[in-house]
Amino acid sequence: MQLENADLNLLKALEVLLEERHLTRAAARIHLSQSAMSRTLTRLRATFGDELLVRTARGFEPTPRARTIQRELALVMPRLRSIVRGDEFSPASVTDVVRVQLTDYAAVVLGNRLFREVFGQAPEISVQAAWLSPQSFDDLEHGRADLVLTPVPPPAPLRWQPLFTERFVCVLSRDHPLTGDRLTVRDLASYPHASVVVLGAERMLAESRLAALGVTTRPGLRVPFFTGAIAALPGTPLIGVLPSRLVDHVPEREVRVAAAPEELEDFAYGMAWHPRLDADPLHTWLRNLVLDAALQLTDLDERA
C-alpha cells in the first residue's frame, strides 16, 4: 500500500473495529449504519491487502497483520489527534471518545465529582467506562483504554500518579458476634471474609497485607464488586475489610462499621496511563479533572 493512495479517514474506523471486533458496536461508536461499516471494512481490507478481521465461531478475530496494525495505531492515533487539534485546546469543542477503567469503588467516591466537571466542560465528549480487570494494564499498553483508576501501580513503562490515601475499615452485619469498635487481626482470622478480587489477584489488598503479618483469612465469599460484598454482609458471619470512603456511602441500617486493626496500613489510590498520552491536551485535561476530584475528597477529610 502506498501512502498517497490511502484514505487516512479510514484509520479511525479501523481503530474502532479492531477494538470492538463487532460491526454493530463499532458502527454505533462512530455514528455509522451497520451496512456503512461493512462497506468500510471492505475498503480497509482492500487498502491493507489483508482480511484484518476473520469471522469465527466466537465472532470476529484479528489477523496477525491486524494485531500489528492495532499496536501501531495505539501509538499513532493520539499523535494525529493532537496534530489536528493543534495547540489551542477547548473542552467545549471536544467530540472524542475517552475510555476509562475503574472499580465500583472509584465510581462511587469519584464519579459524581469527576463526571460533573467532564460533561460540564465538554458536553459533546463520550466517556466509555469499563470495570477494572486483569487485562486493564494490557488495554492501556495497546490503546484499548486511556486511563485506569486503581490501587495497584502498573508495570513500566506505564505512568502512575497517586491520587489520595485510603484506609481500611471492617464492615459486619449488625447481628455479628463481634461487637468491638475496633477488630483485631485475631478477629479477622476467626471469621470468613467477603472479598473483592480485581486485576486477577488471588487475594485482595487487605488479604495480602494480613498475609504479610502472618494472618491467613478464612475463605468465604469472593465477588468482583465492592458494593456486592457489602450487600452480602447482613445476616451472615462474613467480614468485609473495605475502603473507608466507600462505606461512607452505604446506609448503616443492616451493617455496622468497626475500625480495622492498627497493623493494616493505609494505601494509595491512583491513576495509570500510557506515556504516549503524556502531552496530549485532551488526556492532560482529563487527568487534571481526576486530580481535582481527588483533591476535593482530601479537602473534605481535612474539614471533617
Side-chain angles (χ1 to χ4, degrees):
M1 178 186 73
Q2 297 297 318
L3 181 61
E4 292 78 5
N5 300 325
D7 181 354
L8 297 183
N9 291 319
L10 293 176
L11 290 181
K12 173 60 181 176
L14 178 57
E15 178 188 38
V16 173
L17 275 166
L18 293 177
E19 289 171 2
E20 297 291 349
R21 302 181 190 182
H22 191 283
L23 282 177
T24 302
R25 290 199 301 267
R29 274 183 57 181
I30 57 176
H31 310 293
L32 290 178
S33 67
Q34 183 174 347
S35 59
M37 182 58 85
S38 181
R39 292 193 297 271
T40 298
L41 178 57
T42 299
R43 291 180 63 194
L44 284 164
R45 285 166 168 165
T47 298
F48 287 92
D50 187 87
E51 281 295 294
L52 299 176
L53 291 168
V54 178
R55 193 181 295 276
T56 69
R58 296 177 298 175
F60 282 112
E61 291 293 330
T63 65
R65 175 84 189 282
R67 292 182 187 278
T68 299
I69 291 170
Q70 186 174 27
R71 288 193 293 271
E72 295 298 325
L73 285 177
L75 298 172
V76 170
M77 292 302 288
R79 296 172 186 169
L80 285 177
R81 292 188 181 100
S82 183
I83 290 171
V84 172
R85 190 177 291 121
D87 295 332
E88 295 296 326
F89 173 72
S90 171
S93 63
V94 167
T95 59
D96 299 62
V97 176
V98 294
R99 296 153 301 178
V100 181
Q101 296 191 11
L102 72 173
T103 62
D104 57 332
Y105 161 79
V108 168
V109 301
L110 284 176
N112 181 255
R113 293 180 178 88
L114 173 60
F115 295 128
R116 184 171 59 221
E117 287 301 317
V118 167
F119 291 103
Q121 296 183 30
E124 298 299 320
I125 199 171
S126 294
V127 179
Q128 292 187 350
W131 294 125
L132 197 67
S133 77
Q135 289 76 45
S136 288
F137 293 151
D138 188 63
D139 288 342
L140 284 178
E141 184 72 36
H142 293 95
R144 295 186 294 267
D146 301 312
L147 192 68
V148 169
L149 304 182
T150 169
V152 180
L158 298 177
R159 303 287 197 234
W160 160 259
Q161 181 166 1
L163 295 171
F164 54 83
T165 300
E166 179 61 286
R167 63 185 175 88
F168 292 109
V169 294
C170 300
V171 188
L172 314 89
S173 176
R174 283 205 167 274
D175 58 0
H176 197 282
L178 293 176
T179 59
D181 291 335
R182 179 183 294 276
L183 302 192
T184 66
V185 291
R186 178 175 295 181
D187 291 334
L188 296 186
S190 301
Y191 288 88
H193 285 231
S195 301
V196 183
V197 181
V198 296
L199 284 176
E202 293 183 3
R203 291 185 291 213
M204 66 182 294
L205 185 59
E207 290 177 315
S208 298
R209 296 282 179 88
L210 288 169
L213 296 171
V215 178
T216 301
T217 57
R218 289 174 54 186
L221 175 69
R222 303 180 77 80
V223 294
F225 305 121
F226 287 90
T227 47
I230 293 175
L233 294 173
T236 75
L238 298 168
I239 300 174
V241 183
L242 302 168
S244 64
R245 287 185 177 89
L246 176 68
V247 177
D248 290 341
H249 293 268
V250 175
E252 296 187 21
R253 290 188 298 272
E254 296 182 298
V255 298
R256 73 176 191 89
V257 179
E262 294 180 351
E263 295 90 335
L264 276 181
E265 298 178 352
D266 296 348
F267 62 95
Y269 209 93
M271 61 179 170
W273 69 95
H274 196 280
R276 64 174 167 268
L277 300 177
D278 279 351
D280 182 273
L282 169 63
H283 294 91
T284 300
W285 166 79
L286 176 63
R287 293 193 299 272
N288 283 335
L289 290 187
V290 175
L291 276 172
D292 288 344
L295 285 173
Q296 290 179 44
L297 284 181
T298 304
D299 289 343
L300 287 173
D301 289 343
E302 292 176 351
R303 291 198 297 266

